[in-house]
Amino acid sequence: MANFITLNLANHRLNQSAVDQGIPAEDISNDIRLSPIDDIPEEDLVNRLIRDNKDLWDQLLHNDFVEAMRIANADNQPVLNGFKWYMIQDFFYCVQLIAYNADRAAKAPNPKVYAELTNTLNNTLSQWAPNALKVCTDANKLNIPDTVVFAAKREAATEMYTKFIADVAEDENWVVSLLAQVPGIQSYFAIAHDLHDSAVDKGQ
């Protein structure tokens, strides 16, 4: 849930940035299952980036963890445990967005963008991160003890990606720092839709 909210917000920001730069706005979640290579419009930056790095994109979408979730039953404990661990890492990512957006706010090109980013900070603090934690800890959801969540170690991949977006926010301009979110958001969206459509056990 938290990352679907993030997807919508990032799409909104990317569209605003595109309009400011005189570039046609686009939906970064649109046509996530790639169109034929020759059919990708020139202005569709996200899908062109995916096309040009399709080998890496395919590795990301078809790793062992995703494939296991696709064929697992809802009572498959090893896969469920793996998903719980993934969601803990997702919570850490949401927390990292707080620092990330603070850095981006410092590079805001105008007061309007600055106000939007400070609003995002408030939303991250009051909604996104708490909602991600709620998914992990609620008894009717994943039912992970909160002590386990906060004691968990951040995976190297989580650390590397959050450091990457933080470094970009610090070193690059506002538009580039927004695009740094695209790999995580796009892959989350694509994997979620694929599992929704093709998972063996629709109840999981």
Side-chain angles (χ1 to χ4, degrees):
M1 178 63 178
N3 272 16
F4 279 108
I5 296 171
T6 306
L7 173 69
N8 291 332
L9 181 70
N11 176 52
H12 175 67
R13 285 187 188 152
L14 185 59
N15 283 342
Q16 283 188 326
S17 176
V19 171
D20 291 343
Q21 300 295 321
I23 302 169
E26 61 175 295
D27 182 349
I28 65 171
S29 66
N30 187 44
D31 295 329
I32 198 68
R33 295 186 263 291
L34 285 177
S35 305
I37 289 176
D38 293 338
D39 294 341
I40 299 176
E42 183 65 23
E43 67 272 13
D44 188 347
L45 173 61
V46 172
N47 270 315
R48 286 194 289 114
L49 288 172
I50 292 173
R51 175 199 63 193
D52 294 344
N53 298 276
K54 194 170 185 305
D55 55 338
L56 297 175
W57 178 252
D58 288 342
Q59 290 176 44
L60 181 61
L61 264 56
H62 300 288
N63 61 69
D64 291 344
F65 175 56
V66 174
E67 296 302 320
M69 286 195 294
R70 181 178 288 108
I71 64 174
N73 294 319
D75 59 356
N76 186 310
Q77 199 60 46
V79 172
L80 178 59
N81 288 342
F83 182 71
K84 287 181 177 181
W85 187 248
Y86 170 81
M87 291 307 300
I88 290 174
Q89 300 301 310
D90 188 54
F91 166 64
F92 290 152
Y93 171 73
C94 289
V95 171
Q96 179 62 28
L97 282 178
I98 298 168
Y100 173 69
N101 282 311
D103 285 340
R104 290 181 61 239
K107 292 182 175 292
N110 56 59
K112 181 175 182 291
V113 171
Y114 176 79
E116 290 172 350
L117 285 169
T118 54
N119 183 60
T120 297
L121 285 170
N122 289 332
N123 288 338
T124 307
L125 285 166
S126 64
Q127 297 180 39
W128 303 351
N131 286 344
L133 181 61
K134 188 179 178 69
V135 170
C136 291
T137 60
D138 267 20
N140 62 343
K141 292 186 169 63
L142 294 178
N143 198 28
I144 308 169
D146 55 9
T147 52
V148 172
V149 174
F150 283 94
K153 179 181 178 181
R154 298 193 186 201
E155 289 284 350
T158 306
E159 291 282 7
M160 288 174 63
Y161 184 59
T162 53
K163 184 178 185 303
F164 165 69
I165 60 174
D167 287 348
V168 170
E170 181 178 352
D171 297 337
E172 301 291 345
N173 63 46
W174 188 84
V175 175
V176 174
S177 68
L178 174 60
L179 290 174
Q181 292 185 76
V182 168
I185 294 170
Q186 286 284 65
S187 61
Y188 189 99
F189 188 92
I191 290 169
H193 270 268
D194 179 51
L195 291 177
H196 179 270
D197 293 343
S198 63
V200 172
D201 190 340
K202 298 296 184 182
Q204 60 185 323

